Amino acid sequence: GHRKISYLGRDERLLVSTDRKYGYQLCTSRHRLKLPNEYALEIPSVLSEEADNALTKLLMSENCPTAMVVCDDIQAIALMRICRKLGIAIPEDLSVISFNNSMYAKLAEPQLTSMDINTIQLGIEAASQVINHIENPNLFATKIIVPHFIVERESCKRL
């Protein structure tokens, strides 16, 4: 039910960050959400004054989001720290969803809803691709999408 959904990514030079931002943009477009450009943040280091200032500006704005899609669990936890400092309750005031389903997602308070990206299968596919390219250097690069799923925890609420 969220209509004001922001994106927090790392560095657009990283393919994974670019893909996740593109997915956010594609999904919000498909649902005809007209979101301000300020809703898509790219912050290379979440543990910086720049990150604190950019996130504080967005979260304290008159048009603050009700939900954030975050590029990875560590960034999401840094966001949650800033929210605590600003008095923003998760998920009551802001829902947060992330990627990777790392152990940090389970240790966060509240526990973080996260996309499990199936790292074991990703490793298997990556190793297979490396071996294939060593054996046949003329192979074209291929993009493989491995099965993934959402692990629902406590950081999101339905509107």
Side-chain angles (χ1 to χ4, degrees), residues 59-71:
L59 295 170
M60 300 307 288
S61 71
E62 200 172 289
N63 192 27
C64 66
T66 62
M68 287 190 85
V69 176
V70 185
C71 191

Side-chain angles (χ1 to χ4, degrees), residues 20 99-101 114-126 143-151:
R20 289 175 183 173
F99 288 86
N100 296 346
N101 193 33
S114 188
M115 289 297 298
D116 190 304
I117 59 168
N118 203 345
T119 54
I120 293 172
Q121 189 64 38
L122 276 174
I124 290 168
E125 296 296 342
K143 192 171 192 174
I144 298 170
I145 298 175
V146 299
H148 51 281
F149 56 93
I150 190 167
V151 179

Side-chain angles (χ1 to χ4, degrees), residues 10 43-52 74-75 77-78 81:
R10 280 199 188 270
I43 302 174
S45 173
V46 291
L47 299 175
S48 68
E49 190 174 325
E50 175 192 356
D52 283 6
I74 293 172
Q75 238 184 347
I77 291 169
R81 177 188 57 82

Side-chain angles (χ1 to χ4, degrees), residues 128-141:
S128 175
Q129 289 291 311
V130 168
I131 292 167
N132 287 341
H133 284 276
I134 288 170
E135 292 174 348
N136 187 352
N138 296 324
L139 278 178
F140 289 108

Side-chain angles (χ1 to χ4, degrees), residues 4 16 19 21-22 32 37 47-48 50 55-57 63 67-68 83 88 108 122 127-130 140 145 153 156:
K4 294 166 62 176
V16 68
D19 284 348
K21 182 178 180 182
Y22 175 72
R32 294 185 174 89
N37 291 336
L47 299 175
S48 68
E50 175 192 356
L55 288 167
T56 298
K57 182 179 177 184
N63 192 27
M68 287 190 85
C83 287
I88 296 169
L122 276 174
S128 175
Q129 289 291 311
V130 168
F140 289 108
I145 298 175
R153 294 196 181 93
C156 291

